[in-house]
């Protein structure tokens, strides 16, 4: 069953801002760790395993508290920041206000953070402004975010630029985000600055931008951008960015580095990235481990990945578990994956539930699924609704369905609209459709355009079409000059290109090609090879093969077997075989049998055979009546 949705799709996903990215977030609380002028301990709380660190922090708090009570402004600022990070807003506020009143800019910034957490955004902005004017990059970043949230982009840009130019990584990222939102070309520069300073979301978004731009650039530049994008994906993924790990895995898989791709997919999947779990499932499926694949597909499908649900449906359909397959296809559809409707249509069609199949195909087709539109058109055509099928074929073909383009060519050809048929055949052929290339080649031959015909026939033959290989061989055969007669004992010349194409078609079971290869072998004096090909064609039902095999056997002295093959050819309508039989029986003296075959030969023709057969018949009749 040809099931859509059988490969993970990593399309454009837009920007992904992670507000809970530890150490990299743009949230105002993140400013706390970077706003103070004094280096602070990064420990925020304590766990049973960190009792020593917690004790050290308690001691540090006590020391800072004593210093703050003694009037040490720096101690007030640091103590307030430490209490703020512990979530003790009430304890932090008086210390931060006191330090701010004494002119400590870090305290002013952290006081703004505290007020923002309490819900007093406007008052917080006032303190951030004071700190930013005093040179706090963290405060400038917080103030820029404040203005952006209120739609004042010029003010936001001003303060974010102040923060970024002072080396604040969050300021650089926020500025890049603002500029990218406006379509400003300077966005990439600041995104790069943030990425180079370790901001994983910036590294991911920079990679996405480069990745999307690469296909539009000339080959050398495109390859360079793609390589750079991969490096940024790798950096972000190494810092725990799950979507970066997903895209890095996709790049590696495309390049054939499946083992490393699987490792990154696994990393992202364990972090909850459903698409990575789905992609990992396909890698495992391709490696032959369908059970492990099903586990990851199940995990992805439960997280809402429609592609994974389709894959599970396909897996159960292949096992004959159609009810379970149908359930997963419905889940895929409910997850927003239109492939689910198409696959339901395929499932119903295989079960002979034509009305339901049409319903599901139609639903997917209306949603823009081109293969569903093609399948719907085929279903309508099989039901005799040519008028209903044509617009769906057209819609699917215009949408890029190669099969629909070929089917539209067949439809138009049957209606005598040869020029339109050729147009669609050529369109499908240019996309690699073998049968379409064959039909385009035949049409071009019929129109006398041998150059174009050869091009399409080569495509068809190269794509595995036996008929394409045979027709290409006949075209080349007609062009080559006649070769000299083969003399006994003379060396056999190398095979020409047309002979190679005849043999390729013959190897694929093409009967006329087998007969032609036999004839070429006979012309070279290779009786054994000729007999082999004639026999293959004859046993496959070729009357010419049976006739030629009979001639070969007769020359080699095996007339009884030759008669058997001539009878098979004559019974299939071969006039020359019937004439040969008439001559054999006449020579044997079996005049009545000879007359019967002569009558048969005169009926079958062609004209020269019919004339000879008629003369032989008359002679045998006179002999019988004498």
């Amino acid at each position: 069953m040809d099931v859509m949705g059988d490969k993970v799709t990593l399309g454009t996903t837009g920007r992904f801002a992670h507000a809970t990215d530890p150490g990299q977030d743009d949230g105002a609380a993140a400013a706390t760790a970077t706003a103070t002028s004094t280096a602070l301990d990064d420990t925020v709380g304590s766990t049973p395993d960190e009792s020593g660190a917690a004790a050290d922090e308690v001691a540090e708090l006590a020391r800072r508290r004593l210093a703050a009570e003694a009037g040490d402004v720096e101690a007030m600022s640091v103590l307030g920041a430490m209490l703020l990070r512990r979530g003790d807003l009430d304890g932090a506020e008086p210390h931060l206000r006191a330090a701010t009143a004494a002119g400590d800019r870090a305290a002013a910034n952290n006081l703004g953070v505290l007020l923002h957490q309490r819900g007093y955004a406007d008052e917080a902005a006032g303190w951030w402004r004071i700190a930013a004017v005093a040179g706090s990059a963290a405060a400038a970043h917080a103030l820029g975010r404040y203005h952006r949230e209120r739609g004042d982009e010029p003010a936001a840009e001003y303060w974010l630029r102040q923060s970024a130019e002072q080396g604040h990584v969050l300021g650089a990222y926020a500025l890049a985000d603002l500029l990218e939102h406006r379509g400003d070309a300077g966005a990439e520069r600041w995104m790069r600055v943030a990425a180079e300073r370790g901001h994983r979301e910036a590294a991911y978004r920079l990679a996405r931008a480069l990745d999307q731009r690469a296909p539009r650039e000339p080959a050398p530049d495109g390859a360079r951008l793609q390589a750079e994008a991969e490096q940024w994906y790798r950096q972000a993924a190494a810092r725990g960015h799950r979507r970066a790990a997903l895209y890095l895995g996709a790049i590696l898989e495309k390049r054939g580095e499946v083992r490393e791709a699987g490792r990154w997919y696994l990393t992202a999947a364990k972090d909850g990235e459903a698409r990575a779990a789905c992609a990992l499932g396909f890698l495992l499926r391709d490696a032959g481990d369908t059970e492990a694949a099903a586990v990851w597909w199940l995990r992805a499908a439960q997280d809402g990945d429609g592609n994974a649900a389709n894959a599970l449906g396909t897996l159960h359909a292949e096992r004959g578990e159609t009810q379970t397959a149908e359930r997963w296809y419905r889940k895929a559809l409910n997850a927003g994956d239109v492939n689910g409707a198409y696959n339901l249509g395929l499932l119903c069609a295989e079960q002979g539930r034509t009305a339901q199949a049409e319903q599901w195909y139609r639903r997917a087709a209306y949603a823009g699924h081109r293969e569903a539109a093609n399948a719907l058109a085929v279903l309508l055509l099989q039901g005799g609704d040519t008028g209903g099928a044509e617009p769906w074929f057209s819609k699917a073909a215009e949408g890029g369905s190669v099969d629909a383009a070929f089917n539209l060519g067949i439809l138009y050809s049957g209606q005598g609209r040869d020029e339109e048929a050729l147009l669609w055949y050529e369109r499908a052929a240019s996309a690699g459709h073998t049968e379409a290339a064959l039909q385009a080649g035949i049409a071009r031959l019929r129109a006398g355009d041998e150059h174009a015909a050869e091009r399409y026939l080569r495509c068809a033959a190269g794509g595995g079409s036996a008929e394409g290989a045979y027709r290409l061989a006949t075209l080349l055969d007609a062009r080559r000059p006649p070769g000299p007669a083969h003399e006994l004992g003379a060396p056999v010349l190398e095979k020409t290109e047309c002979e190679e194409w005849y043999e390729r078609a013959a190897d694929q079971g093409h009967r006329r090609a087998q007969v032609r290869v036999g004839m070429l072998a006979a012309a070279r004096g290779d009786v054994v090879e000729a007999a082999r090909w004639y026999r293959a064609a004859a046993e496959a039902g070729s009357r010419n093969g049976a006739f030629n095999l009979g001639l070969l056997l007769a020359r080699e002295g095996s007339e009884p077997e030759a008669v058997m093959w001539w009878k098979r050819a004559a019974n299939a309508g071969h006039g020359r075989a019937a004439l040969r039989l008439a001559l054999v029986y006449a020579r044997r003296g079996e005049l009545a049998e000879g007359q019967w075959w002569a009558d048969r030969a005169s009926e079958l023709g062609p004209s020269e055979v019919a004339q000879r057969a008629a003369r032989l018949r008359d002679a045998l009749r006179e002999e019988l009546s004498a």
Side-chain angles (χ1 to χ4, degrees):
M1 181 168 63
D2 182 17
V3 180
M4 296 299 294
D6 191 46
K7 196 66 180 172
V8 69
T9 301
L10 301 175
T12 301
T13 55
R15 298 199 308 272
F16 297 95
H18 295 284
T20 57
D21 189 358
Q24 303 294 343
D25 298 340
D26 289 347
T32 307
T34 57
T36 54
S37 58
T38 305
L40 297 178
D41 185 355
D42 287 334
T43 304
V44 177
S46 65
T47 67
D49 295 333
E50 299 171 343
S51 57
D56 289 344
E57 184 177 0
V58 170
E60 176 68 9
L61 278 169
R63 189 175 68 81
R64 294 288 182 180
R65 193 180 299 277
L66 287 173
E69 289 173 354
D72 188 324
V73 175
E74 181 184 350
M76 295 176 194
S77 178
V78 174
L79 177 60
M82 291 177 73
L83 292 171
L84 178 61
R85 291 170 60 192
R86 290 167 65 92
D88 185 359
L89 304 188
D90 291 335
E93 186 171 351
H95 296 293
L96 292 175
R97 285 190 181 276
T100 299
D104 189 288
R105 71 181 188 188
N109 173 62
N110 288 337
L111 180 58
V113 173
L114 185 148
L115 292 169
H116 189 273
Q117 289 184 17
R118 288 190 185 278
Y120 303 123
D122 293 340
E123 188 179 351
W127 291 111
W128 281 332
R129 182 180 295 276
I130 290 171
V133 170
S136 171
H141 162 248
L143 188 58
R145 285 180 53 86
Y146 167 82
H147 284 297
R148 187 175 181 190
E149 287 169 1
R150 278 149 184 77
D152 188 353
E153 290 195 1
E157 182 181 350
Y158 174 81
W159 289 111
L160 290 175
R161 194 175 292 278
Q162 292 294 317
S163 174
E165 288 176 349
Q166 291 179 66
H168 195 276
V169 62
L170 298 176
Y173 173 71
L175 176 60
D177 183 71
L178 175 63
L179 295 174
E180 185 178 88
H181 174 71
R182 292 210 312 243
D184 193 307
E188 185 176 316
R189 174 201 166 197
W190 289 109
M191 197 69 79
R192 190 180 296 276
V193 168
E196 288 171 349
R197 292 175 182 171
H199 195 293
R200 71 181 190 185
E201 183 69 19
Y204 167 70
R205 287 175 59 176
L206 178 59
R208 291 294 298 138
L210 295 170
D211 200 1
Q212 291 168 352
R213 205 170 77 212
R216 301 193 294 269
E217 298 292 331
D221 292 336
R224 178 183 56 79
L225 289 174
Q226 184 63 60
E228 187 181 358
E230 181 180 340
Q231 292 307 311
W232 288 116
Y233 279 137
R234 194 175 291 277
Q235 180 171 312
R239 292 178 176 272
H241 197 293
R242 66 188 191 186
R243 287 192 178 87
L246 168 68
Y247 282 99
L248 178 58
I251 289 171
L252 293 167
E253 182 185 2
K254 185 177 180 181
R255 203 160 61 212
E257 299 175 26
V258 178
R259 188 177 295 276
E260 188 181 357
R263 287 199 297 270
W264 286 112
Y265 284 149
L266 180 60
T267 298
K270 285 181 176 178
D271 286 341
E273 180 57 55
R275 289 177 296 170
C278 181
L280 181 59
F282 282 111
L283 280 188
L284 291 166
R285 190 278 311 272
D286 293 343
D289 192 351
T290 55
E291 295 305 318
V295 170
W296 287 105
W297 283 334
L298 179 61
R299 184 167 175 173
Q302 288 173 339
D303 287 340
D305 190 283
N307 202 36
N310 271 316
L312 282 172
T314 302
L315 185 64
H316 288 289
E318 289 171 350
R319 294 172 177 173
E321 301 165 358
T322 55
Q323 288 184 338
T324 307
E326 184 170 339
R327 179 166 58 85
W328 282 112
Y329 288 149
R330 288 180 183 273
K331 282 185 177 292
L333 184 58
N334 292 336
D337 192 333
V338 71
N339 285 324
Y342 174 60
N343 290 337
L344 282 167
L346 291 173
L347 195 65
C348 291
E350 285 192 349
Q351 296 172 341
R353 295 153 58 192
T354 306
Q356 292 94 325
E358 181 180 340
Q359 176 189 11
W360 289 116
Y361 285 150
R362 200 175 289 277
R363 180 169 176 177
Y366 275 122
H369 196 294
R370 64 191 188 191
E371 297 305 330
N374 178 59
L376 174 60
V378 171
L379 203 64
L380 293 171
L381 195 61
Q382 290 171 344
D385 186 1
T386 305
E390 184 178 339
W392 285 113
F393 276 139
S394 295
K395 183 174 182 178
E398 293 288 357
S401 170
V402 179
D403 287 335
F406 174 63
N407 290 337
L408 198 55
I410 293 174
L411 185 68
Y412 286 153
S413 180
Q415 295 173 347
R417 298 158 65 180
D418 293 336
E419 289 186 6
E420 292 173 272
L422 178 58
L423 176 70
W424 287 107
Y425 283 146
E426 290 183 336
R427 185 163 173 175
S430 66
H433 197 290
T434 299
E435 284 301 310
L438 173 62
Q439 294 302 323
I442 292 172
R444 288 294 184 183
L445 267 180
R446 195 180 300 123
D449 187 351
E450 286 193 3
H451 180 72
E454 181 181 344
R455 185 174 73 252
Y456 285 118
L457 290 175
R458 284 188 182 278
C459 290
S465 169
E467 183 67 23
Y470 173 73
R471 288 181 179 268
L472 175 60
T474 57
L475 182 64
L476 298 173
D477 202 2
R479 292 177 184 169
R480 66 172 182 167
H486 184 271
E487 296 182 7
L488 192 61
V492 178
L493 299 175
E494 289 186 5
K495 293 176 182 177
T496 61
E497 185 187 5
C498 76
E499 290 179 84
E500 290 175 356
W501 285 115
Y502 277 134
E503 287 192 5
R504 182 177 295 193
D507 286 333
Q508 293 176 259
H510 194 286
R511 294 182 302 183
R512 285 180 293 170
Q514 289 171 337
V515 172
R516 183 60 181 153
V517 171
M519 292 172 65
L520 292 170
R524 291 195 303 269
D526 191 343
V527 178
V528 175
E529 184 73 359
R532 182 172 76 86
W533 286 112
Y534 287 151
R535 190 177 298 276
E539 288 175 348
S542 168
R543 60 189 187 184
N544 284 329
F547 174 69
N548 288 356
L549 179 58
L551 290 176
L552 204 63
L553 291 167
R555 291 193 192 111
E556 296 297 311
S558 301
E559 188 175 89
E561 190 179 356
V563 167
M564 181 192 73
W565 288 109
W566 282 334
K567 281 185 177 180
R568 182 178 292 192
N571 287 331
H574 199 289
R576 286 189 173 83
L579 180 58
R580 286 280 176 176
L581 287 169
L583 291 168
V584 167
Y585 285 114
R587 191 172 61 252
R588 290 179 181 176
E590 300 177 29
L591 304 185
E593 187 73 9
Q595 184 180 351
W596 189 90
W597 282 111
D599 281 335
R600 181 71 176 141
S602 64
E603 292 171 3
L604 295 173
S607 57
E608 66 273 15
V609 170
Q611 292 170 5
R612 290 182 59 195
R615 289 196 296 271
L616 178 59
R617 179 193 58 203
D618 293 342
L620 292 173
R621 185 177 296 143
E622 290 178 5
E623 187 68 24
L624 285 169
S625 61

